[in-house]
Amino acid sequence: NWIKHETLLEKSIGRLSLFEQLSLNLPHEICKEFRSALTLGYWKNGLQLSDKQRKICEQALFYSENNKSSIMH
């Protein structure tokens, strides 16, 4: 079943945008930083999270977390 999912994922990768492909493979540390910035409203260096950055972080986490949860099922 996992092999079948992997094959389907590999076939669909060609149809994904570069952003989607990168988001699917975000390292855990980056996801953690994005979640923190979304929760606090600023980056760990103290700079405020812009609306555009907020949207990008939300989208990236959406792809990353949905990919991880689909692999676990």
Side-chain angles (χ1 to χ4, degrees):
N1 195 10
W2 182 82
I3 294 172
K4 182 179 179 181
H5 173 74
E6 187 69 22
T7 304
L8 292 173
L9 182 61
E10 287 173 355
K11 287 180 182 177
S12 66
I13 291 276
R15 292 182 239 144
L16 298 176
S17 71
L18 179 58
F19 177 83
E20 291 166 331
Q21 290 177 40
L22 292 172
S23 297
L24 289 172
N25 296 296
L26 282 177
H28 175 73
E29 302 304 322
I30 300 294
C31 291
K32 186 176 170 183
E33 181 68 26
F34 284 3
R35 271 189 231 97
S36 175
L38 288 168
T39 301
L40 300 173
Y42 57 88
W43 299 103
K44 68 179 178 181
N45 66 2
L47 292 175
Q48 186 174 0
L49 189 68
S50 71
D51 289 338
K52 185 175 181 177
Q53 290 170 335
R54 177 176 297 282
K55 289 177 186 175
I56 291 169
C57 287
E58 289 171 347
Q59 290 173 344
L61 288 173
F62 172 81
Y63 287 112
S64 176
E65 291 170 356
N66 282 325
N67 180 50
K68 288 177 178 82
S69 67
S70 68
I71 288 175
M72 293 179 162
H73 291 302

